Amino acid sequence: MNDEPRPKNLVFELNGQPVQVADVGDTLLGVLRGELRVRSVKDGCSPQGQCGCCTVLVDGEPRVACVTPARRVAGRSVTTVEGLEPERAERWGTRFCETGGSQCGFCTPGIVMRLEALERKGVARNDIARNDDVARNDDVARNDTAPVDQALLAHLCRCTGWQTIKDAWAHDGTRSESRDLDAASRRGTLEGGAPQLVSPEVALGAGGFAADTAPDGALIAVPNGTGEWSLGTSLQAARAAAGKVQGRRTTAEHRWPIELPDDGGRPWAFTLQTTWVEPGYLETDAAWCEPGGEPASPLANGGAFGGKVDSIVGRAARMLADQHERPVLALFSREDVVRWGPKRPPVAAGIRADGTGTIVIADAPGVEAAIAAVAPDLTVELVDLDGPTCSSAIRAAGWAEALVLSQAVNGVNGWITAPNGSAAKASVSDGVITIGVRCGEVLDAVVLRSYCIGAAHMAYSWVTSEALTVDDQGEVHDLTIRSFGIVRAIDMPRVEVELVEDDQPAVNGSDAVFAAVAGAVWAHHGFAPRWPTGTDGMMSP
C-alpha cells in the first residue's frame, strides 16, 4: 500500500501553457470545466466514459477526461480544441459546418479531438513533418473511412446519424462563400424545435449551452434522489453531497408493458408492440439563474427531441437562486435524465387490412389527438403504466407509430404526411436507406440533409435496437448511455436523401422522415410484431 501523501497541487501543461490546480481527487474533466473554465469539453454521461464528449489529447493521444483522474496528467501535456492551432481549429469547424456534421454541437468537440489525433497519426505514417503540409497531404489518410468508423466507436452522436461526421472527415475545409448561415439557422430551428445556431464555432463547442454560460461562482445543484437538491461550490462537491451512485447497465431483459388489444378473437393483419425508449440527447438538462432573474433555457442550442420541454431544472435554478441569494446552476446527471426525464410512450396495436384498428398507448397529454390527426380510423385507448413519465412532446410520439401501422397495410414506398403537412418517403435496399422529403422552402440543403439523416438514424435505431429495461415496480434499470441501444456509426447503413422543394412555407421535415424510415425498416424486418427487432446483420451493405 502506498502511504505517500497526496501532492497538494497538480502541475501540467494545458494548451501549451503550464497550469497548477489543487489536487482534490477530481477527474480531468472536473478540473478542466470547474477549475480552469474550459468549456469545449462536455459532460454527457456523468461520468461513465461512454459518450466521448469530453475527449482531449494527453501527450497527443485521445483520452476520455471524465474517467481520467486529474493526477494522472501531472507533468503531461493536455490539449483541447482551444489549444489547436487557429487555422486547424477553423478548418475543423468549417469541415463540420459545411457538411452538417454538427447540429447542436455538444458531442463534436470530443469528436474533433479524436479525428485530430487520427489525422496526426495519418500524417506521421506518411512521414509528413510540418503542420502546414497537412492541408496538402492528409487526403492520403482521409480517403479510407474504416479508421474513422473505428475511432467513432468511442463516441455517441444523437443528432447527425454519423454519416455527415464522416463527410466532415473527407471535406477539404473550404468554406462556401455563397452559403447563407442565417437561413441555415432558420432551417435548424425548424428541425430542432428550438433556436439553433449554425456556424463553424458550434462544432468546436461554442453553442451556448446553459452549463457553459453559468457565471463564475455559481452554486451547483443536483438532485439527491429524495425530491430535494444538494448544492456545492463544485460539481464534484454537489454530487458528493447528493450521494450520487454511478449508474449501471442491467442484465435483465426488457419487457413490453402493454398487452395487444383483442379483435373479438380474429387475427389482426399486423400487430406492433413497443417498449420504453429514451430520447438519448447528449446534453443533460441544465439551467442557471441569478436571484430574481429568469433561468437560462435548457434548450440553449438544441431541442433534445422534445425531451426537455417540461424539464424542471429551470424552475429549480430560479427557486434555489432566490433562496441562496446567489447564482445557481441546476444540473442533471445522466442517471437523473434516465430516471426522471420523459420517455417515448410504449404502444400495443393491431390493424386490419382496411386500415381500421386499435392502438393502446401509455397516457401522455396530447398523444390521442396526435394519433387522430394522421390516423382517424384507429381507435385510441390510453393506459396508465407503472414506469417512467411518458410525453407526447417526444419526436413524433404516437403519430409516427400510427403512420407506421398505416404503411404496413397501404405500402411503405409511398409518401406519408405528417400533422404539419410535410411529407416523406423511404425505402430500404442493399444496405442503403433512401429517403425523400418535401417540407416547403429548403432554406439550407446542408442542414436539412443532416437532420434527415439524423432522423433516419434515430428511426433505424428505434426499430432495431433501442429499449429501456423497466421492472414491474416501474423502476428503470438501464442507467448508462450505452445501454439505450443507440446504433453506432460502424453499424449504421448509408442514407441517401432527396430534397424536394415546393412553394410552401418551410416546416419541419425530419419528423416525417423519422416516421417514413421507421415504416421502411419495419417492412425490411418482415413486420416483426415487437420492437426492437434486432439488427441481425440485415442492413449490412
Side-chain angles (χ1 to χ4, degrees):
M1 181 175 178
N2 188 350
D3 294 325
E4 293 183 8
R6 292 179 178 176
K8 293 182 180 180
N9 293 295
L10 292 172
V11 179
F12 61 96
E13 184 181 277
L14 174 63
N15 296 329
Q17 299 296 321
V19 294
Q20 179 174 291
V21 296
D23 180 8
V24 295
D26 206 349
T27 65
L28 177 58
L29 175 61
V31 167
L32 290 174
R33 286 190 61 85
E35 294 295 317
L36 300 173
R37 302 287 293 176
V38 178
R39 293 309 193 210
S40 68
V41 289
K42 310 297 186 187
D43 180 4
C45 59
S46 308
Q48 299 166 357
Q50 294 189 357
C51 73
C53 295
C54 63
T55 299
V56 299
L57 303 186
V58 178
D59 292 340
E61 293 293 327
R63 293 288 182 268
V64 180
C66 72
V67 291
T68 299
R71 62 175 61 101
R72 194 170 291 172
V73 302
R76 304 174 74 180
S77 172
V78 176
T79 307
T80 69
V81 294
E82 291 88 349
L84 295 176
E85 292 292 329
E87 63 272 15
R88 295 288 291 165
E90 181 182 1
R91 187 163 177 255
W92 279 116
T94 297
R95 287 159 76 169
F96 274 77
C97 184
E98 288 295 315
T99 61
S102 178
Q103 290 180 17
C104 76
F106 192 83
C107 68
T108 45
I111 292 174
V112 164
M113 296 311 294
R114 180 80 57 178
L115 297 184
E116 170 71 14
L118 186 63
E119 195 161 82
R120 290 183 184 185
K121 286 184 177 181
V123 169
R125 281 198 304 271
N126 290 286
D127 297 321
I128 300 168
R130 294 166 48 233
N131 283 339
D132 59 357
D133 288 332
V134 170
R136 295 193 298 273
N137 292 282
D138 63 356
D139 284 342
V140 175
R142 290 190 284 108
N143 285 340
D144 182 7
T145 60
V148 182
D149 284 330
Q150 291 298 317
L152 291 176
L153 289 174
H155 294 265
L156 281 177
C157 175
R158 189 59 155 170
C159 293
T160 66
W162 299 113
Q163 187 169 308
T164 52
I165 293 174
K166 298 178 190 180
D167 293 343
W169 167 260
H171 195 270
D172 65 5
T174 302
R175 183 178 298 193
S176 171
E177 297 298 332
S178 62
R179 190 174 176 205
D180 183 349
L181 292 185
D182 287 337
S185 296
R186 293 199 301 275
R187 173 51 73 182
T189 298
L190 286 171
E191 301 304 323
Q196 182 76 58
L197 177 66
V198 177
S199 76
E201 291 73 24
V202 168
L204 303 178
F209 300 102
D212 295 346
T213 58
D216 290 341
L219 291 174
I220 311 296
V222 300
N224 63 13
T226 67
E228 303 294 330
W229 295 77
S230 294
L231 285 84
T233 55
S234 69
L235 181 57
Q236 180 192 32
R239 285 178 173 168
K244 179 181 182 293
V245 177
Q246 193 64 40
R248 294 291 182 266
R249 178 175 186 169
T250 184
T251 57
E253 295 292 329
H254 56 262
R255 63 191 183 92
W256 292 267
I258 305 177
E259 295 293 329
L260 286 171
D262 179 60
D263 192 25
R266 296 182 299 273
W268 298 101
F270 297 94
T271 61
L272 175 63
Q273 286 177 283
T274 69
T275 186
W276 285 277
V277 173
E278 173 65 35
Y281 48 86
L282 269 292
E283 185 213 9
T284 61
D285 301 38
W288 62 269
C289 193
E290 300 269 8
E294 289 296 318
S297 171
L299 301 176
N301 200 46
F305 317 106
K308 295 180 185 175
V309 170
D310 298 314
S311 180
I312 65 172
V313 292
R315 297 188 295 275
R318 179 178 353 200
M319 175 194 71
L320 293 168
D322 290 344
Q323 180 180 333
H324 292 273
E325 299 183 338
R326 60 185 292 184
V328 172
L329 168 64
L331 187 66
F332 271 6
S333 70
R334 178 54 56 188
E335 295 90 345
D336 297 331
V337 173
V338 181
R339 289 189 179 104
W340 298 304
K343 308 294 177 270
R344 185 172 203 90
V347 306
I351 193 168
R352 306 178 187 94
D354 64 0
T356 62
T358 299
I359 181 168
V360 187
I361 187 167
D363 194 4
V367 74
E368 186 173 11
I371 295 171
V374 298
D377 292 332
L378 287 179
T379 299
V380 180
E381 296 180 5
L382 304 177
V383 295
D384 292 321
L385 296 178
D386 291 327
T389 300
C390 295
S391 172
S392 62
I394 301 297
R395 175 176 243 167
W399 65 260
E401 289 86 338
L403 283 177
V404 162
L405 288 163
S406 297
Q407 290 178 84
V409 296
N410 296 322
V412 297
N413 294 321
W415 292 87
I416 58 101
T417 302
N420 69 350
S422 65
K425 62 179 180 179
S427 62
V428 176
S429 179
D430 299 325
V432 176
I433 300 172
T434 302
I435 62 178
V437 61
R438 186 172 60 240
C439 52
E441 185 182 0
V442 168
L443 295 176
D444 184 82
V446 172
V447 168
L448 181 54
R449 174 179 178 270
S450 176
Y451 272 90
C452 289
I453 292 172
H457 170 261
M458 183 177 283
Y460 174 65
S461 196
W462 174 37
V463 174
T464 62
S465 66
E466 291 190 38
L468 287 178
T469 297
V470 179
D471 66 21
D472 291 337
Q473 287 71 47
E475 181 180 351
V476 184
H477 286 256
D478 282 320
L479 298 177
T480 68
I481 200 164
R482 291 280 178 173
S483 64
F484 303 162
I486 298 171
V487 166
R488 306 174 303 171
I490 201 169
D491 300 319
M492 181 61 195
R494 179 163 182 81
V495 182
E496 297 180 354
V497 183
E498 177 191 9
L499 306 179
V500 181
E501 187 158 12
D502 58 36
D503 57 1
Q504 298 300 308
V507 295
N508 174 290
S510 55
D511 288 354
V513 168
F514 173 77
V517 172
V521 173
W522 189 33
H524 195 75
H525 281 257
F527 299 107
R530 282 180 166 178
W531 294 0
T533 62
T535 55
D536 298 326
M538 293 179 66
M539 297 292 290
S540 299

PDB file of all heavy atoms in Angstrom, residues 394-417:
ATOM      1  N   ILE A 394     -42.132  14.086 -27.197  1.00  0.00           N
ATOM      2  CA  ILE A 394     -41.027  13.342 -27.796  1.00  0.00           C
ATOM      3  C   ILE A 394     -41.263  13.223 -29.294  1.00  0.00           C
ATOM      4  O   ILE A 394     -42.404  13.084 -29.754  1.00  0.00           O
ATOM      5  CB  ILE A 394     -40.909  11.947 -27.153  1.00  0.00           C
ATOM      6  CG1 ILE A 394     -40.684  12.066 -25.637  1.00  0.00           C
ATOM      7  CG2 ILE A 394     -39.809  11.129 -27.805  1.00  0.00           C
ATOM      8  CD1 ILE A 394     -39.406  12.746 -25.250  1.00  0.00           C
ATOM      9  N   ARG A 395     -40.215  13.214 -30.065  1.00  0.00           N
ATOM     10  CA  ARG A 395     -40.310  13.268 -31.521  1.00  0.00           C
ATOM     11  C   ARG A 395     -41.385  12.343 -32.088  1.00  0.00           C
ATOM     12  O   ARG A 395     -41.319  11.121 -31.971  1.00  0.00           O
ATOM     13  CB  ARG A 395     -38.964  12.907 -32.136  1.00  0.00           C
ATOM     14  CG  ARG A 395     -38.980  12.813 -33.641  1.00  0.00           C
ATOM     15  CD  ARG A 395     -37.611  12.538 -34.223  1.00  0.00           C
ATOM     16  NE  ARG A 395     -37.193  13.644 -35.071  1.00  0.00           N
ATOM     17  CZ  ARG A 395     -35.938  13.801 -35.512  1.00  0.00           C
ATOM     18  NH1 ARG A 395     -35.013  12.959 -35.159  1.00  0.00           N
ATOM     19  NH2 ARG A 395     -35.660  14.830 -36.299  1.00  0.00           N
ATOM     20  N   ALA A 396     -42.413  12.953 -32.674  1.00  0.00           N
ATOM     21  CA  ALA A 396     -43.478  12.250 -33.399  1.00  0.00           C
ATOM     22  C   ALA A 396     -44.171  11.195 -32.556  1.00  0.00           C
ATOM     23  O   ALA A 396     -44.707  10.219 -33.105  1.00  0.00           O
ATOM     24  CB  ALA A 396     -42.921  11.624 -34.684  1.00  0.00           C
ATOM     25  N   ALA A 397     -44.198  11.360 -31.243  1.00  0.00           N
ATOM     26  CA  ALA A 397     -44.772  10.339 -30.362  1.00  0.00           C
ATOM     27  C   ALA A 397     -46.225  10.080 -30.709  1.00  0.00           C
ATOM     28  O   ALA A 397     -47.031  11.000 -30.833  1.00  0.00           O
ATOM     29  CB  ALA A 397     -44.656  10.773 -28.897  1.00  0.00           C
ATOM     30  N   GLY A 398     -46.572   8.829 -30.883  1.00  0.00           N
ATOM     31  CA  GLY A 398     -47.943   8.422 -31.175  1.00  0.00           C
ATOM     32  C   GLY A 398     -48.258   8.462 -32.651  1.00  0.00           C
ATOM     33  O   GLY A 398     -48.644   7.451 -33.247  1.00  0.00           O
ATOM     34  N   TRP A 399     -48.069   9.627 -33.286  1.00  0.00           N
ATOM     35  CA  TRP A 399     -48.461   9.700 -34.681  1.00  0.00           C
ATOM     36  C   TRP A 399     -47.486   8.956 -35.594  1.00  0.00           C
ATOM     37  O   TRP A 399     -47.895   8.450 -36.645  1.00  0.00           O
ATOM     38  CB  TRP A 399     -48.685  11.123 -35.137  1.00  0.00           C
ATOM     39  CG  TRP A 399     -47.550  12.093 -35.180  1.00  0.00           C
ATOM     40  CD1 TRP A 399     -47.250  13.044 -34.259  1.00  0.00           C
ATOM     41  CD2 TRP A 399     -46.592  12.262 -36.242  1.00  0.00           C
ATOM     42  NE1 TRP A 399     -46.171  13.790 -34.650  1.00  0.00           N
ATOM     43  CE2 TRP A 399     -45.749  13.333 -35.878  1.00  0.00           C
ATOM     44  CE3 TRP A 399     -46.372  11.618 -37.457  1.00  0.00           C
ATOM     45  CZ2 TRP A 399     -44.689  13.774 -36.673  1.00  0.00           C
ATOM     46  CZ3 TRP A 399     -45.317  12.049 -38.264  1.00  0.00           C
ATOM     47  CH2 TRP A 399     -44.490  13.103 -37.876  1.00  0.00           C
ATOM     48  N   ALA A 400     -46.220   8.843 -35.206  1.00  0.00           N
ATOM     49  CA  ALA A 400     -45.297   8.032 -36.008  1.00  0.00           C
ATOM     50  C   ALA A 400     -45.699   6.567 -35.962  1.00  0.00           C
ATOM     51  O   ALA A 400     -45.715   5.881 -36.994  1.00  0.00           O
ATOM     52  CB  ALA A 400     -43.865   8.207 -35.518  1.00  0.00           C
ATOM     53  N   GLU A 401     -46.062   6.080 -34.780  1.00  0.00           N
ATOM     54  CA  GLU A 401     -46.497   4.691 -34.665  1.00  0.00           C
ATOM     55  C   GLU A 401     -47.753   4.448 -35.494  1.00  0.00           C
ATOM     56  O   GLU A 401     -47.897   3.404 -36.145  1.00  0.00           O
ATOM     57  CB  GLU A 401     -46.763   4.348 -33.194  1.00  0.00           C
ATOM     58  CG  GLU A 401     -45.510   4.244 -32.323  1.00  0.00           C
ATOM     59  CD  GLU A 401     -45.047   5.565 -31.748  1.00  0.00           C
ATOM     60  OE1 GLU A 401     -45.388   6.634 -32.303  1.00  0.00           O
ATOM     61  OE2 GLU A 401     -44.327   5.552 -30.742  1.00  0.00           O
ATOM     62  N   ALA A 402     -48.672   5.421 -35.469  1.00  0.00           N
ATOM     63  CA  ALA A 402     -49.896   5.278 -36.247  1.00  0.00           C
ATOM     64  C   ALA A 402     -49.601   5.241 -37.745  1.00  0.00           C
ATOM     65  O   ALA A 402     -50.169   4.422 -38.489  1.00  0.00           O
ATOM     66  CB  ALA A 402     -50.857   6.430 -35.923  1.00  0.00           C
ATOM     67  N   LEU A 403     -48.701   6.104 -38.212  1.00  0.00           N
ATOM     68  CA  LEU A 403     -48.356   6.091 -39.626  1.00  0.00           C
ATOM     69  C   LEU A 403     -47.614   4.819 -40.024  1.00  0.00           C
ATOM     70  O   LEU A 403     -47.791   4.298 -41.133  1.00  0.00           O
ATOM     71  CB  LEU A 403     -47.502   7.317 -39.966  1.00  0.00           C
ATOM     72  CG  LEU A 403     -48.252   8.647 -40.093  1.00  0.00           C
ATOM     73  CD1 LEU A 403     -47.280   9.784 -40.361  1.00  0.00           C
ATOM     74  CD2 LEU A 403     -49.304   8.576 -41.196  1.00  0.00           C
ATOM     75  N   VAL A 404     -46.796   4.307 -39.120  1.00  0.00           N
ATOM     76  CA  VAL A 404     -46.095   3.047 -39.392  1.00  0.00           C
ATOM     77  C   VAL A 404     -47.101   1.915 -39.598  1.00  0.00           C
ATOM     78  O   VAL A 404     -46.966   1.093 -40.520  1.00  0.00           O
ATOM     79  CB  VAL A 404     -45.125   2.735 -38.240  1.00  0.00           C
ATOM     80  CG1 VAL A 404     -44.718   1.269 -38.244  1.00  0.00           C
ATOM     81  CG2 VAL A 404     -43.887   3.626 -38.328  1.00  0.00           C
ATOM     82  N   LEU A 405     -48.111   1.859 -38.752  1.00  0.00           N
ATOM     83  CA  LEU A 405     -49.151   0.842 -38.914  1.00  0.00           C
ATOM     84  C   LEU A 405     -49.896   1.024 -40.228  1.00  0.00           C
ATOM     85  O   LEU A 405     -50.181   0.043 -40.941  1.00  0.00           O
ATOM     86  CB  LEU A 405     -50.128   0.905 -37.738  1.00  0.00           C
ATOM     87  CG  LEU A 405     -49.599   0.399 -36.387  1.00  0.00           C
ATOM     88  CD1 LEU A 405     -50.474   0.897 -35.257  1.00  0.00           C
ATOM     89  CD2 LEU A 405     -49.532  -1.122 -36.381  1.00  0.00           C
ATOM     90  N   SER A 406     -50.186   2.270 -40.569  1.00  0.00           N
ATOM     91  CA  SER A 406     -50.877   2.524 -41.834  1.00  0.00           C
ATOM     92  C   SER A 406     -50.022   2.110 -43.026  1.00  0.00           C
ATOM     93  O   SER A 406     -50.534   1.576 -44.017  1.00  0.00           O
ATOM     94  CB  SER A 406     -51.234   4.008 -41.944  1.00  0.00           C
ATOM     95  OG  SER A 406     -52.136   4.394 -40.917  1.00  0.00           O
ATOM     96  N   GLN A 407     -48.719   2.341 -42.933  1.00  0.00           N
ATOM     97  CA  GLN A 407     -47.825   1.920 -44.008  1.00  0.00           C
ATOM     98  C   GLN A 407     -47.826   0.404 -44.183  1.00  0.00           C
ATOM     99  O   GLN A 407     -47.677  -0.104 -45.302  1.00  0.00           O
ATOM    100  CB  GLN A 407     -46.393   2.398 -43.723  1.00  0.00           C
ATOM    101  CG  GLN A 407     -46.188   3.899 -43.850  1.00  0.00           C
ATOM    102  CD  GLN A 407     -44.762   4.281 -43.498  1.00  0.00           C
ATOM    103  OE1 GLN A 407     -43.867   4.207 -44.318  1.00  0.00           O
ATOM    104  NE2 GLN A 407     -44.560   4.696 -42.258  1.00  0.00           N
ATOM    105  N   ALA A 408     -47.990  -0.314 -43.083  1.00  0.00           N
ATOM    106  CA  ALA A 408     -47.980  -1.775 -43.169  1.00  0.00           C
ATOM    107  C   ALA A 408     -49.104  -2.284 -44.075  1.00  0.00           C
ATOM    108  O   ALA A 408     -48.916  -3.253 -44.820  1.00  0.00           O
ATOM    109  CB  ALA A 408     -48.102  -2.379 -41.771  1.00  0.00           C
ATOM    110  N   VAL A 409     -50.266  -1.630 -44.028  1.00  0.00           N
ATOM    111  CA  VAL A 409     -51.383  -2.100 -44.848  1.00  0.00           C
ATOM    112  C   VAL A 409     -51.467  -1.389 -46.188  1.00  0.00           C
ATOM    113  O   VAL A 409     -52.034  -1.916 -47.149  1.00  0.00           O
ATOM    114  CB  VAL A 409     -52.729  -1.957 -44.084  1.00  0.00           C
ATOM    115  CG1 VAL A 409     -52.742  -2.847 -42.854  1.00  0.00           C
ATOM    116  CG2 VAL A 409     -53.006  -0.520 -43.700  1.00  0.00           C
ATOM    117  N   ASN A 410     -50.895  -0.179 -46.278  1.00  0.00           N
ATOM    118  CA  ASN A 410     -51.013   0.602 -47.511  1.00  0.00           C
ATOM    119  C   ASN A 410     -49.762   0.570 -48.374  1.00  0.00           C
ATOM    120  O   ASN A 410     -49.788   1.064 -49.500  1.00  0.00           O
ATOM    121  CB  ASN A 410     -51.345   2.059 -47.171  1.00  0.00           C
ATOM    122  CG  ASN A 410     -52.695   2.198 -46.500  1.00  0.00           C
ATOM    123  OD1 ASN A 410     -53.640   1.495 -46.851  1.00  0.00           O
ATOM    124  ND2 ASN A 410     -52.777   3.096 -45.526  1.00  0.00           N
ATOM    125  N   GLY A 411     -48.668   0.012 -47.837  1.00  0.00           N
ATOM    126  CA  GLY A 411     -47.404   0.007 -48.565  1.00  0.00           C
ATOM    127  C   GLY A 411     -46.454   1.039 -48.015  1.00  0.00           C
ATOM    128  O   GLY A 411     -46.876   2.123 -47.591  1.00  0.00           O
ATOM    129  N   VAL A 412     -45.163   0.724 -48.023  1.00  0.00           N
ATOM    130  CA  VAL A 412     -44.181   1.571 -47.361  1.00  0.00           C
ATOM    131  C   VAL A 412     -43.385   2.440 -48.328  1.00  0.00           C
ATOM    132  O   VAL A 412     -42.534   3.212 -47.897  1.00  0.00           O
ATOM    133  CB  VAL A 412     -43.189   0.717 -46.529  1.00  0.00           C
ATOM    134  CG1 VAL A 412     -43.918  -0.015 -45.430  1.00  0.00           C
ATOM    135  CG2 VAL A 412     -42.427  -0.248 -47.431  1.00  0.00           C
ATOM    136  N   ASN A 413     -43.629   2.330 -49.607  1.00  0.00           N
ATOM    137  CA  ASN A 413     -42.822   3.079 -50.560  1.00  0.00           C
ATOM    138  C   ASN A 413     -43.429   4.416 -50.970  1.00  0.00           C
ATOM    139  O   ASN A 413     -42.789   5.205 -51.671  1.00  0.00           O
ATOM    140  CB  ASN A 413     -42.566   2.239 -51.816  1.00  0.00           C
ATOM    141  CG  ASN A 413     -41.711   1.019 -51.512  1.00  0.00           C
ATOM    142  OD1 ASN A 413     -40.778   1.110 -50.717  1.00  0.00           O
ATOM    143  ND2 ASN A 413     -42.032  -0.099 -52.128  1.00  0.00           N
ATOM    144  N   GLY A 414     -44.653   4.678 -50.554  1.00  0.00           N
ATOM    145  CA  GLY A 414     -45.290   5.928 -50.927  1.00  0.00           C
ATOM    146  C   GLY A 414     -45.004   7.035 -49.929  1.00  0.00           C
ATOM    147  O   GLY A 414     -44.349   6.842 -48.902  1.00  0.00           O
ATOM    148  N   TRP A 415     -45.504   8.224 -50.252  1.00  0.00           N
ATOM    149  CA  TRP A 415     -45.332   9.376 -49.372  1.00  0.00           C
ATOM    150  C   TRP A 415     -46.263   9.272 -48.176  1.00  0.00           C
ATOM    151  O   TRP A 415     -47.422   8.869 -48.314  1.00  0.00           O
ATOM    152  CB  TRP A 415     -45.626  10.665 -50.130  1.00  0.00           C
ATOM    153  CG  TRP A 415     -44.614  10.981 -51.189  1.00  0.00           C
ATOM    154  CD1 TRP A 415     -44.610  10.558 -52.477  1.00  0.00           C
ATOM    155  CD2 TRP A 415     -43.455  11.807 -51.044  1.00  0.00           C
ATOM    156  NE1 TRP A 415     -43.527  11.052 -53.155  1.00  0.00           N
ATOM    157  CE2 TRP A 415     -42.798  11.839 -52.292  1.00  0.00           C
ATOM    158  CE3 TRP A 415     -42.909  12.532 -49.986  1.00  0.00           C
ATOM    159  CZ2 TRP A 415     -41.615  12.555 -52.504  1.00  0.00           C
ATOM    160  CZ3 TRP A 415     -41.744  13.259 -50.198  1.00  0.00           C
ATOM    161  CH2 TRP A 415     -41.109  13.264 -51.439  1.00  0.00           C
ATOM    162  N   ILE A 416     -45.774   9.636 -46.999  1.00  0.00           N
ATOM    163  CA  ILE A 416     -46.619   9.783 -45.811  1.00  0.00           C
ATOM    164  C   ILE A 416     -46.605  11.256 -45.415  1.00  0.00           C
ATOM    165  O   ILE A 416     -45.631  11.972 -45.666  1.00  0.00           O
ATOM    166  CB  ILE A 416     -46.168   8.873 -44.651  1.00  0.00           C
ATOM    167  CG1 ILE A 416     -44.707   9.153 -44.238  1.00  0.00           C
ATOM    168  CG2 ILE A 416     -46.332   7.411 -45.023  1.00  0.00           C
ATOM    169  CD1 ILE A 416     -44.551   9.980 -43.016  1.00  0.00           C
ATOM    170  N   THR A 417     -47.684  11.688 -44.809  1.00  0.00           N
ATOM    171  CA  THR A 417     -47.835  13.107 -44.475  1.00  0.00           C
ATOM    172  C   THR A 417     -47.915  13.275 -42.966  1.00  0.00           C
ATOM    173  O   THR A 417     -48.710  12.619 -42.295  1.00  0.00           O
ATOM    174  CB  THR A 417     -49.092  13.698 -45.127  1.00  0.00           C
ATOM    175  OG1 THR A 417     -49.007  13.521 -46.544  1.00  0.00           O
ATOM    176  CG2 THR A 417     -49.217  15.180 -44.816  1.00  0.00           C
TER     177      THR A 417
END
